[in-house]
Amino acid sequence: MERTLKGNGPLYPVLGLASCVTFLYMSFGDLIYYSQEPAQNNFVSKSGTQLMLRGKAFYVNGWNSYWLMDQAVEDYSRPRVRAMLQSGAKMGLTVCRTWAFNDGAYNALQISPGQFDERVFKGLDYVIAEARQHGIKLILSLVNNLQPFGGKTQYVTWASEQGYGLSSSNDSFFYDPSIRNNFKTYIMTMLTRKNTITGIEYRDDPTIFAWELMNEPHCMTDPSGNILQHWIAEMASFVKSIDKNHLLTVGLEGFYGPSNPEKLSANPGDWASSLGSDFIRNSNISNIDFASVHIYVDQWILDQELEEKLKFVRKWMHSHIDDSGKILKKPVLFTEFGLSNKNKDFDPSHRDRFYKTVFDVIYESAKKNGAGAGGLAWQFMVEGMEEYSDDYGIVPWEIPSLYKLITEQSCKLKVV
Ligand SMILES: *[C@@H]1O[C@H](CO)[C@@H](O)[C@H](O)[C@H]1NC(C)=O
Ligand SMILES: *[C@@H]1O[C@H](CO)[C@@H](O)[C@H](O)[C@H]1NC(C)=O
């Protein structure tokens, strides 16, 4: 089988859009992508407002499957990991974002502070090794703000159970020095983990696209934003002290905060500025390499017609692309976007329109060498995973119209 059909390899630019789409449709799901180049050339880097891979601007069409490590632990579910990564590659997707944490929940990776279940770590090793085989790069998120898979609340519970927690507030995750140290132990263990399948330390593995500090950080007990800002700066510099190979992002939804009052009108509502997160200030930290933004218009704006919602989506994206280009001077990745199938009046065509809107803004930015570096859909599954759906989950090949949009976007971004 052809061995050079790599995402950004030499073939796509020659093919052009129509034949790229045809090629992806026809290609076998079991293509195995190898790169002969030295590892150093395969890290994603950044130059100004562009992501770079092998000397060229790199635009991301990617997806989220938060469940990869979880499903890799047990024999019966492990094949889903390969099936998902293989199908992603077949759609021309290049980046998958997933959880590199499970704190104290079922099949926990971290059983208690600094104590890891080797069986689960081997599951993550498998996820990374499989991603490498399929030419997919991973964004690995390090902790959850929310409670699924433990999150900050689990760190706080551990501290109080073990008698050193300063406060029972789940936001003490951000300011309690002992808990901050526990999280640093987690970071250190993760970044220096030696993959039992590939033999490569995670910090040296170009399969990893970037680290993400936290999924959707909020610190509502401090609306000034100072506590979260301090936490991000401290953790970002800690990550960089261990790993200079990889890019780092925060994991924000992109809400504007008090540091830039003139931006507040771009928020979906007044509530968004009082969560303790602050898009511009947080993303401006020098150790943060690119900005991250989520798009959940159906949760943020209720009781409006689809057209109004799509108008908001365009404005939200343009606003963040502009800020990233002009103020932050960094790339911005839309790391989660999705439309729930539980909305009242939901129709699958709404989801197609929503995806198309997001894709078009990204493509327009890419054509102009703008700061919009790509997007990751929330979220994809394989068949038989209904309980992982969270109303946003889809099996893309079961929805032909959407599958086509996704594949076309992959091709368009490969030939910009
Ligand atoms: C944090 O604690 C507050 C107050 O107890 C609670 O309402 C909230 O749901 C918790 N948040 C998370 C993400 O656990
Ligand atoms: C961003 O950080 C730089 C220093 O790294 C600072 O000069 C600039 O004022 C900051 N901008 C904002 C909007 O916070």
Side-chain angles (χ1 to χ4, degrees), residues 205-222:
D205 192 340
T207 309
I208 296 168
F209 172 104
W211 300 108
E212 176 183 281
L213 287 177
M214 185 180 223
N215 176 47
E216 301 188 345
H218 292 174
C219 185
M220 292 180 69
T221 52
D222 174 33

Side-chain angles (χ1 to χ4, degrees), residues 31-49:
L31 283 178
I32 293 177
Y33 305 107
Y34 288 114
S35 176
Q36 312 298 335
E37 292 175 78
Q40 210 53 39
N41 295 345
N42 280 326
F43 286 104
V44 179
S45 61
K46 138 187 123 76
S47 171
T49 61

Side-chain angles (χ1 to χ4, degrees), residues 229 259-260 262 278 280-286 327-328 330:
Q229 177 75 0
S259 75
N260 293 75
E262 74 283 4
D278 192 325
I280 292 183
R281 186 179 177 208
N282 297 160
S283 307
N284 191 43
I285 291 170
S286 61
I327 304 177
L328 301 171
K330 300 176 185 186

Side-chain angles (χ1 to χ4, degrees), residues 98-240:
T98 195
W99 295 167
F101 58 79
N102 181 341
D103 300 297
Y106 181 70
N107 272 340
L109 172 60
Q110 190 170 215
I111 308 160
S112 61
Q115 292 239 288
F116 292 78
D117 185 339
E118 179 61 19
R119 199 177 52 102
V120 180
F121 237 145
K122 284 185 170 153
L124 189 55
D125 291 347
Y126 175 80
V127 169
I128 296 171
E130 280 297 310
R132 178 185 177 85
Q133 287 280 306
H134 291 94
I136 301 291
K137 291 188 184 286
L138 299 171
I139 297 181
L140 296 179
S141 188
L142 294 167
V143 68
N144 208 355
N145 182 71
L146 306 166
Q147 288 193 22
F149 300 99
K152 66 181 179 187
T153 304
Q154 180 62 69
Y155 278 83
V156 175
T157 306
W158 280 329
S160 93
E161 283 168 3
Q162 297 178 5
Y164 55 80
L166 286 181
S167 152
S168 63
S169 161
N170 46 29
D171 286 343
S172 67
F173 176 81
F174 299 113
Y175 58 78
D176 185 311
S178 308
I179 299 178
R180 288 211 303 263
N181 275 334
N182 287 348
F183 186 56
K184 286 183 179 171
T185 302
Y186 189 78
I187 292 175
M188 175 65 93
T189 309
M190 181 61 58
L191 273 49
T192 59
R193 164 78 176 178
K194 188 169 179 181
N195 190 312
T196 53
I197 299 169
T198 63
I200 304 170
E201 279 193 23
Y202 286 9
R203 62 178 161 181
D204 294 327
D205 192 340
T207 309
I208 296 168
F209 172 104
W211 300 108
E212 176 183 281
L213 287 177
M214 185 180 223
N215 176 47
E216 301 188 345
H218 292 174
C219 185
M220 292 180 69
T221 52
D222 174 33
S224 79
N226 292 334
I227 288 180
L228 188 57
Q229 177 75 0
H230 186 245
W231 181 85
I232 295 169
E234 181 177 327
M235 296 307 157
S237 109
F238 187 69
V239 167
K240 292 290 179 177

